[in-house]
Amino acid sequence: MRMIFLGPPGAGKGTHAARVMQLYGIPQISTGDMLRQAIRAQTPLGLEAKRYIDAGELVPDEVVIGMVRERLAQQDCQLGYILDGFPRTVAQAEALAVFAPIDLVLNIDVLDEQIIRRLSGRRVCPGCNGTFHLATLADAHTCPTCSAQLVQRKDDEPATVLNRLRVYREQTQPLIDYYRARGLLKTVSGEGSIEESFDNVRRALGLAQA
Ligand code: AP5
């Protein structure tokens, strides 16, 4: 299965893609994670991407398209993949259509108030790459999986979140119509708890209840 997870920042794309990856045994390809990894490694691409990410703007299409094209050519993508956070512009979708087939686009729908609540409470682990929320953490500072110190993403600060929502509406939301017109789109509600919204994801993908 070759899928795209679409949705506003904080919709739960990463959270649900990680679970679907386990169930299908196919890689989750998160352009956000790849870019943050390049920033940590201080590569030229990372240094260029950092100023866009910190401001809540999109990294230029040509940079991201090249990165995804290379990643999808790797052996572990031959049986399928979950694209998490790509494409994000119509230009990216058009480029993707040339080099990779897509079977399904899952659009995760969440209201703005919920997004702001989720992103302001999100904490991530630089050790194991896990994503958590303050509301479900017993200790706000320590990763429950690997005990590393949790951090807040710089682009989860309130002013940047508002800009990311604006950028989403202007540049990414048009992809909903783009993929609907191609008969590939399924929309699910991402409201409610993680378990409730994952049930919606599971049903949309035709996966049996655990
Ligand atoms: P990226 O990392 O992709 O950020 P994003 O799309 O804004 O997505 P998020 O990671 O914020 O949200 P998510 O939907 O994955 O939610 P999550 O599961 O973490 O991109 C970052 C930046 O990189 C971009 O701004 C851009 O600059 C650049 N970039 C990346 N891709 C690009 C591209 N293709 N082109 C150009 N630039 C690109 O969940 C969020 C929180 O909510 C977590 O704390 C989680 O525990 C919690 N949560 C999730 N679901 C639920 C639920 N149902 N109930 C309660 N809590 C929940």
Side-chain angles (χ1 to χ4, degrees):
M1 180 81 115
R2 295 152 301 191
M3 299 177 249
I4 293 170
F5 278 18
L6 193 66
K13 302 181 294 296
T15 300
H16 297 314
R19 291 175 170 215
V20 172
M21 171 178 79
Q22 302 289 341
L23 292 172
Y24 273 105
I26 53 175
Q28 168 192 10
I29 297 174
S30 158
T31 41
D33 285 349
M34 290 164 87
L35 292 166
R36 281 184 290 276
Q37 201 178 345
I39 293 173
R40 281 196 294 277
Q42 299 193 323
T43 65
L45 184 149
L47 294 175
E48 185 189 352
K50 185 173 177 359
R51 60 195 171 98
Y52 294 100
I53 294 182
D54 285 353
E57 298 290 334
L58 294 184
V59 174
D61 285 337
E62 60 278 12
V63 174
V64 187
I65 291 167
M67 197 175 77
V68 173
R69 187 191 284 120
E70 246 177 57
R71 179 66 186 88
L72 291 182
Q74 290 175 11
Q75 190 56 37
D76 65 332
C77 297
Q78 299 317 302
L79 293 179
Y81 37 81
I82 310 161
L83 289 170
D84 161 12
F86 181 92
R88 254 176 157 100
T89 63
V90 171
Q92 291 180 16
E94 286 172 345
L96 178 69
V98 174
F99 64 80
I102 294 297
D103 305 308
L104 174 74
V105 178
L106 192 72
N107 175 39
I108 305 175
D109 199 23
V110 177
L111 295 174
D112 284 6
E113 307 90 81
Q114 179 78 262
I115 287 169
I116 291 165
R117 247 197 316 276
R118 285 183 190 176
L119 295 186
S120 61
R122 174 163 59 183
R123 295 296 179 269
V124 293
C125 176
C128 67
N129 217 21
T131 295
F132 308 96
H133 194 277
L134 287 180
T136 57
L137 283 168
D139 172 351
H141 305 288
T142 310
C143 175
T145 309
C146 74
S147 301
Q149 177 121 22
L150 296 173
V151 295
Q152 181 172 31
R153 274 172 46 175
K154 188 163 167 33
D155 63 345
D156 280 348
E157 288 169 7
T160 315
V161 168
L162 293 180
N163 196 40
R164 285 164 67 197
L165 281 170
R166 180 190 61 77
V167 168
Y168 167 75
R169 276 192 212 96
E170 289 175 10
Q171 303 196 51
T172 307
Q173 211 166 26
L175 291 178
I176 295 176
D177 285 340
Y178 177 95
Y179 283 117
R180 186 182 290 121
R182 284 156 183 77
L184 292 172
L185 190 84
K186 282 192 183 178
T187 294
V188 295
S189 168
E191 301 282 337
S193 69
I194 292 179
E195 293 310 326
E196 284 164 348
S197 52
F198 189 63
D199 276 347
N200 298 336
V201 169
R202 206 199 289 267
R203 270 194 297 275
L205 299 181
L207 288 167
Q209 197 81 15

